[in-house]
């Protein structure tokens, strides 16, 4: 999985950073942790301030009788991003967390009783779609995969892996490969593009959901987002013990490289002097000096002045689309009980595009248009869990 790049660096001196520069990172979400690891490894004096009791941000775990349960992301995609991050500090991802590749990427259920599994193996997915919606749909799927793969390959390095992706990089990529324009369908939304690529409305709905991975709506997001399918098709891993183990391992590794972590520490204000940052003021009034500050929180907190008026200058414009809520509507949980451990379950409602469009325009939450369930990986507790959970964990070992 690739963390969203929402950090903003306020600098008080001319780059590049020098060893022993004091860097304060506000937030121990996955982006803050990755930054802490890289900067600590580069020899900077890194202090991470996190208001919650532990690392992870959205990638956090909630306690349960069966052991910690992931409250945010539950599977890892684009594993290569983390392989590269660990390798950049001379470590190996697999030495820090236990990754289990998933042969089933996700299971999908519709109100009419139909269901479809998609697999890591494209040929298996194609066969499943053939059985689900016929030969024409299977051929459409093959074409869709080729197109998504092409877009992914073209934009992976210049946009997705870039530290600061820009319209210029996008334009340069297209200028080098003008035939990409057709695959990008620049004048179409994802929903419009999918309606041309698939006859079956269920498949349009299924592949449209990838817009929600970046908080968008298929009715507003560009058709280019179909490339997210390729990120998932390239492989999905479950982290044994839960995704929060990844956050913990990054925090442990960053600490080993000298980063200092302070949990339960709220940053109330970013202090500046003219154009230069001077440090932060904590919720209890303590002041901490810094040469550089990396803000890992919501950019809108900066924009709205929650961290003081000076910080508003570095905040990006607030043009993000409203996220689609994923939860609620639990009558369908029985599907999860039949599930394979760790497999993603996606249950679709009947399509309600008008309502989704209306809500997205007004930045309101919609009623969920699909429901995502995931049965966790095997609980890590040694004591016997309650019966329902024990049944589940037994399946995990099968
Ligand atoms: C249910 C769910 C499922 C998801 N599934 C996936 C998925 O499958 N794949 C994927 O790629 N992404 C997924 N995501 C999105 C992914 O989890 C997030 O994009 C990612 O974790 C965000 O990381 P971050 O570091 O940018 O921000 P965050 O995780 O939000 O971290 C920000 C941190 O900053 C701290 N902070 C903020 N302000 C302050 C302050 N003033 N003082 C101190 N601390 C502060 C916060 O407490 C928080 O810990 C999912 C998200 C959710 C909620």
């Amino acid at each position: 999985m690739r963390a969203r790049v929402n950090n903003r660096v306020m600098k008080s001196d001319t780059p590049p950073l020098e060893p022993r520069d004091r860097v304060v990172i506000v937030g121990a979400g996955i982006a803050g942790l990755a930054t802490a690891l890289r900067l600590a490894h580069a020899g900077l004096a890194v202090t991470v301030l996190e208001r919650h009791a532990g690392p992870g941000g959205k990638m956090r775990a909630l306690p349960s009788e069966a052991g910690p349960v992931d409250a945010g992301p539950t599977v890892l995609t684009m594993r290569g991003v983390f392989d590269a991050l660990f390798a950049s500090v001379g470590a190996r991802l697999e030495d820090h967390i236990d990754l289990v590749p998933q042969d089933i990427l996700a299971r999908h259920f519709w109100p009419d009783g139909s269901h479809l599994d998609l697999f890591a193996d494209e040929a298996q997915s194609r066969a499943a779609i053939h059985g689900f919606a016929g030969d024409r749909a299977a051929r459409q799927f093959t074409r869709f995969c080729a197109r998504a793969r092409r877009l992914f390959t073209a934009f992976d390095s210049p946009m997705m892996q870039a530290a600061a992706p820009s319209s210029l990089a996008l334009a340069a990529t297209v200028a080098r490969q003008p035939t990409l324009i057709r695959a990008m369908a620049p004048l179409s939304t994802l929903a419009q593009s999918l309606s041309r690529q698939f006859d079956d409305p269920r498949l349009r709905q299924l592949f449209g959901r990838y817009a929600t991975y970046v908080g968008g709506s298929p009715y507003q997001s560009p058709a280019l987002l179909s490339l997210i399918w390729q990120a998932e098709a390239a492989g999905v891993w479950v982290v044994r013990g839960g995704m929060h183990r990844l956050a913990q391992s990054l925090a442990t590794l960053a600490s080993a490289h000298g980063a200092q972590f302070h949990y339960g520490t709220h940053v109330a204000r970013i202090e500046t002097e003219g154009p230069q940052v001077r440090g932060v003021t904590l919720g209890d009034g303590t002041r901490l000096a810094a040469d550089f500050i990396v803000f890992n929180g919501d950019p809108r907190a900066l924009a709205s002045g929650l961290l003081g008026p000076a910080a508003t200058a570095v905040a990006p414009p607030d043009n993000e689309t409203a996220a689609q809520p994923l939860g609620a509507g639990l009558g369908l949980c029985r599907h999860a009980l039949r599930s394979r451990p760790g497999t993603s379950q996606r249950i679709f409602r009947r399509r309600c595009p008008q309502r989704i469009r209306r809500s997205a325009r007004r930045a309101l939450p919609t009623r969920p248009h699909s429901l995502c369930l995931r049965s966790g990986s095997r609980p890590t507790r040694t004591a016997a869990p309650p019966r329902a959970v024990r049944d589940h964990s037994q399946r995990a070992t099968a």
Side-chain angles (χ1 to χ4, degrees), residues 1-7 25-33 49-52 54-60 70-78 213 232 243 262 264-269 282 295-298 301 306-307 326 372 374:
M1 190 198 80
R2 178 160 190 261
R4 197 176 72 205
V5 181
N6 65 358
N7 297 329
I25 297 175
V26 183
I30 197 70
L33 291 167
L49 306 173
E50 166 57 54
R51 69 158 73 102
H52 287 301
K58 294 187 184 74
M59 191 186 282
R60 72 190 195 284
D70 280 323
T74 46
V75 288
L76 186 70
T77 51
M78 294 181 73
Y213 278 26
E232 191 154 293
M243 278 289 280
H262 298 277
T265 304
H266 172 67
V267 173
R269 196 179 164 91
L282 308 184
F295 184 70
N296 172 218
D298 189 331
L306 284 178
L307 285 107
L326 290 176
C372 180
R374 176 171 295 281

Side-chain angles (χ1 to χ4, degrees), residues 265-326:
T265 304
H266 172 67
V267 173
R269 196 179 164 91
I270 292 175
E271 302 296 347
T272 58
E273 204 177 281
Q276 301 187 330
V277 291
R278 287 292 176 224
V280 292
T281 300
L282 308 184
D284 66 2
T286 308
R287 294 177 78 131
L288 198 66
D291 302 307
F292 288 81
I293 295 172
V294 178
F295 184 70
N296 172 218
D298 189 331
R300 283 170 295 193
L302 289 180
S304 58
L306 284 178
L307 285 107
T312 56
V314 292
D318 184 12
N319 57 2
E320 293 188 2
T321 55
Q324 306 281 335
L326 290 176

Side-chain angles (χ1 to χ4, degrees), residues 91-328:
R92 293 188 334 151
L93 179 63
E94 57 271 34
D95 291 340
H96 293 263
I97 53 172
D98 195 1
L99 288 166
V100 186
Q102 303 293 290
D103 52 350
I104 297 183
L105 299 176
R107 323 196 92 158
H108 309 84
F109 301 88
W110 282 267
D112 64 2
S114 57
H115 60 92
L116 172 67
D117 290 350
L118 290 181
F119 300 87
D121 175 15
E122 187 179 316
Q124 247 183 307
S125 292
R126 186 190 150 101
I129 288 178
H130 189 279
F132 174 75
D135 184 52
R136 187 173 158 84
R139 279 185 280 117
Q140 289 173 334
F141 171 69
T142 301
R143 280 198 295 273
F144 173 73
C145 288
R147 183 178 180 149
R149 197 160 35 240
R150 180 150 185 248
L151 291 170
F152 188 94
T153 308
F155 291 110
D156 185 31
S157 156
M159 298 297 289
M160 290 184 281
Q161 307 279 351
S166 66
S167 321
L168 203 63
L170 188 136
T173 306
V174 176
R176 276 193 303 274
Q177 304 177 59
T179 55
L180 272 179
I181 293 177
R182 188 149 185 267
M184 289 167 70
L187 300 179
S188 301
T189 63
L190 181 58
Q192 287 165 340
S193 169
L194 289 171
S195 69
R196 290 194 296 270
Q197 295 182 70
F198 290 103
D199 296 331
D200 192 307
R202 295 168 302 177
L203 295 176
R204 296 176 190 168
Q205 191 178 26
L206 190 161
F207 292 108
R209 81 180 172 87
Y210 287 103
T212 67
Y213 278 26
V214 290
S217 151
Y219 303 103
Q220 291 189 316
S221 305
L224 180 59
L225 289 195
S226 58
L227 60 73
I228 299 176
W229 157 248
Q230 178 56 31
E232 191 154 293
V236 167
W237 285 263
V238 161
V239 178
R240 209 181 288 280
M243 278 289 280
H244 55 278
R245 291 272 173 101
L246 174 58
Q248 277 163 355
S249 67
L250 280 173
T252 305
L253 201 51
S255 297
H257 283 281
Q260 304 281 323
F261 284 81
H262 298 277
Y263 297 113
T265 304
H266 172 67
V267 173
R269 196 179 164 91
I270 292 175
E271 302 296 347
T272 58
E273 204 177 281
Q276 301 187 330
V277 291
R278 287 292 176 224
V280 292
T281 300
L282 308 184
D284 66 2
T286 308
R287 294 177 78 131
L288 198 66
D291 302 307
F292 288 81
I293 295 172
V294 178
F295 184 70
N296 172 218
D298 189 331
R300 283 170 295 193
L302 289 180
S304 58
L306 284 178
L307 285 107
T312 56
V314 292
D318 184 12
N319 57 2
E320 293 188 2
T321 55
Q324 306 281 335
L326 290 176

